[in-house]
Amino acid sequence: AQSVTQPDIHITVSEGASLELRCNYSYGATPYLFWYVQSPGQGLQLLLKYFSGDTLVQGIKGFEAEFKRSQSSFNLRKPSVHWSDAAEYFCAVNDYKLSFGAGTTVTVRA
Amino acid sequence: DAGVTQSPTHLIKTRGQQVTLRCSPKSGHDTVSWYQQALGQGPQFIFQYYEEEERQRGNFPDRFSGHQFPNYSSELNVNALLLGDSALYLCASSLAARVDEQFFGPGTRLTVL
């Protein structure tokens, strides 16, 4: 069965610094991969998705992710973090349903 | 264009009771999926409805049941509530042909005492 693993439970980053969140997937075929963000008390918002083609994917809010088949990874990056980026981030893989990782909590310090 | 809406926002029940949560999909969408998100965890797939039928189901007991109406809205019913059912319940809608693109509602926070 398809699954994703997010190795980092919690990351703290300074405002203006770069951010990278890790995601490793397990899937036999070419996966459909997603990153979602969840602010406190909110639902999930799609940041970006990868289906095929170009391995560097651009998303909303200045985020990007790179698909690396050789490493079974789909890491999320942002060059310069804003205080509003503090949230929970989920990586997910899709078959007929979304299978989510446990999430990474991002704290932004001033 | 309204997105996915869910009601109620919050709900408090006691063990053994039954609860019904409601979801209205994004305009034009015909498929609804339900997820349970326990505190500190990622969402877990409960089931998916299309054409008023349960199409797929995750690893949840029969106490969890659902329904989809002709207007594509959906209900999630949970019987014999347990403390462990306390969670955020998320509804997601999509087109049947594009279940890879799901749009989420804000969720219903269920607390079981």
Side-chain angles (χ1 to χ4, degrees):
Chain A
Q2 70 276 20
S3 65
V4 293
T5 303
Q6 294 180 248
D8 304 306
I9 297 174
H10 190 190
I11 287 180
T12 299
V13 61
S14 298
E15 192 169 15
S18 64
L19 174 69
E20 181 167 12
L21 304 181
R22 295 184 291 164
C23 173
N24 297 107
Y25 68 88
S26 172
Y27 193 70
T30 299
Y32 288 178
L33 292 164
F34 302 79
W35 275 99
Y36 285 86
V37 62
Q38 185 176 39
S39 298
Q42 303 292 314
L44 295 167
Q45 182 181 22
L46 179 65
L47 286 175
L48 48 78
K49 58 190 177 187
Y50 172 78
F51 290 168
S52 64
D54 196 351
T55 57
L56 187 61
V57 180
Q58 301 298 320
I60 62 171
K61 302 185 179 187
F63 285 92
E64 66 179 25
E66 186 171 12
F67 172 70
K68 292 185 177 180
R69 184 185 300 277
S70 61
Q71 299 177 19
S72 298
S73 69
F74 187 57
N75 294 349
L76 181 72
R77 298 193 294 252
K78 184 168 185 177
S80 178
V81 169
H82 187 261
W83 63 265
S84 61
D85 294 322
E88 186 88 13
Y89 291 80
F90 294 96
C91 181
V93 62
N94 189 294
D95 187 347
Y96 60 87
K97 63 178 176 67
L98 285 165
S99 296
F100 289 87
T104 299
T105 301
V106 173
T107 298
V108 181
R109 60 181 175 222
Chain B
D1 175 27
V4 180
T5 60
Q6 293 185 243
S7 63
T9 305
H10 296 88
L11 205 51
I12 299 174
K13 292 287 188 178
T14 57
R15 282 176 295 174
Q17 286 189 310
Q18 179 265 343
V19 68
T20 297
L21 311 182
R22 296 176 176 82
C23 172
S24 291
K26 182 178 169 64
S27 178
H29 284 182
D30 55 11
T31 301
V32 172
S33 302
W34 286 91
Y35 294 81
Q36 180 196 65
Q37 185 179 17
L39 196 63
Q41 298 182 24
Q44 299 292 318
F45 175 74
I46 303 175
F47 43 52
Q48 184 179 89
Y49 275 83
Y50 171 65
E51 291 189 338
E52 303 179 48
E53 297 286 334
E54 182 182 292
R55 187 160 73 167
Q56 302 286 352
R57 189 179 183 90
N59 189 25
F60 278 80
D62 292 343
R63 298 187 296 109
F64 289 77
S65 64
H67 189 77
Q68 186 179 35
F69 299 93
N71 66 353
Y72 307 120
S73 67
S74 177
E75 289 181 349
L76 164 65
N77 301 291
V78 187
N79 295 320
L81 284 167
L82 303 173
L83 295 179
D85 295 331
S86 295
L88 180 68
Y89 288 86
L90 295 164
C91 169
S93 75
S94 59
L95 289 169
R98 293 305 305 271
V99 291
D100 52 294
E101 289 194 333
Q102 299 187 25
F103 292 81
F104 283 83
T108 294
R109 173 71 63 187
L110 172 64
T111 301
V112 182
L113 302 177

